[in-house]
Amino acid sequence: MKRIDKIINFMRALEEVCVVKRDLLLYEGSPENDAMHIFKLSFLVMLVAPYLKSDIDYTKMLEMALVHDIAEGKVGDYTAANQIANPSIKEEKKYKEAQAIQELKNLLPAPLNKKIYNLYQEYEEKETREAKIVSVLDKLEANLQANQYKDGDVRYWGLCENGGEYYKMALKKKPLIKELDEPILRDLENAIITLSKENMKRCALSPQE
């Protein structure tokens, strides 16, 4: 197959990412999809990168943000709440996504296939500083988005499957942020936790609800 045909086939596969729905709602009530999340995470990487005190590969981080969820186009979104409530779901997610990223790799010509596959694997393994930072920003972006519906009406979290976990996650500090010791990440986390607390208070909710 010609390389242009392979690139076109890969772009068609990315269409699947654009229709994967997530639990989180946009400000006007429509469900967020994976492509929207990837878009916002990529911008968050760009916005935070200038303030990181460590020497990082910015291009790699941005590319990692773009590829980190593409396997979900094949297997769907496994929500964080469900993974926490049922650890076996996390293992199922890992297995299915490993198959999906291999399928996506096979669509692309060399050396693009290896590059995208390696970026995805680096993110999953979370051993490099770049992967750890993107992973943290991935979670922070989701926490921030969770607060956007109707300017902070977080009551809908409880309507999601295992939604009670969202109230706990919204206030829980991430150990990886402490490990990274980056003030910009710590400040961003604190601001989002404060926003979650304020929205829960306005909605007369507690973390257990």
Side-chain angles (χ1 to χ4, degrees), residues 22-200:
R22 292 162 61 86
D23 271 354
L24 305 180
L25 298 180
L26 301 178
Y27 71 96
E28 37 60 272
S30 61
E32 182 190 35
N33 64 44
D34 269 5
M36 296 173 187
H37 165 62
I38 291 170
F39 169 77
K40 288 176 287 182
L41 173 59
S42 299
F43 261 96
L44 192 55
V45 167
M46 185 174 72
L47 294 169
V48 165
Y51 303 103
L52 295 170
K53 65 180 185 179
S54 54
D55 184 23
I56 50 90
D57 186 335
Y58 166 69
T59 300
K60 179 190 280 190
M61 284 175 53
L62 191 57
E63 291 175 338
M64 206 177 289
L66 289 171
V67 306
H68 85 287
D69 266 350
I70 59 174
E72 291 188 2
K74 298 291 183 185
V75 303
D77 179 45
Y78 285 70
T79 68
N82 283 341
Q83 291 183 63
I84 292 171
N86 188 348
S88 66
I89 290 179
K90 188 172 184 178
E91 291 303 312
E92 177 184 324
K93 172 183 185 291
K94 185 176 180 180
Y95 174 74
K96 288 188 176 181
E97 289 185 352
Q99 292 179 310
I101 195 62
Q102 186 64 54
E103 182 180 342
L104 289 168
K105 179 185 178 184
N106 293 340
L107 288 177
L108 283 168
L112 282 172
N113 56 353
K114 187 174 181 180
K115 178 178 181 177
I116 288 178
Y117 179 82
N118 288 346
L119 282 166
Y120 182 89
Q121 290 300 115
E122 182 175 341
Y123 176 82
E124 286 294 299
E125 291 163 5
K126 294 176 180 54
E127 294 181 357
T128 65
R129 192 165 185 84
E130 286 83 0
K132 290 176 180 179
I133 292 172
V134 176
S135 177
V136 161
L137 291 176
D138 172 58
K139 305 299 186 298
L140 292 178
E141 192 287 316
N143 290 352
L144 180 59
Q145 179 59 53
N147 282 278
Q148 301 306 311
Y149 174 58
K150 290 188 177 180
D151 195 27
D153 187 348
V154 298
R155 289 173 292 182
Y156 81 91
W157 297 355
L159 302 177
C160 300
E161 188 175 3
N162 296 310
E165 296 295 338
Y166 287 124
Y167 296 108
K168 299 174 187 176
M169 286 188 287
L171 306 183
K172 186 177 181 180
K173 297 222 172 191
K174 297 165 179 57
L176 201 51
I177 289 182
K178 184 177 180 180
E179 175 191 328
L180 288 165
D181 191 27
E182 289 282 358
I184 185 65
L185 300 180
R186 185 171 59 248
D187 291 348
L188 184 59
E189 178 181 54
N190 288 338
I192 295 172
I193 288 175
T194 297
L195 176 63
S196 297
K197 287 180 178 178
E198 290 172 350
N199 286 336
M200 281 189 271

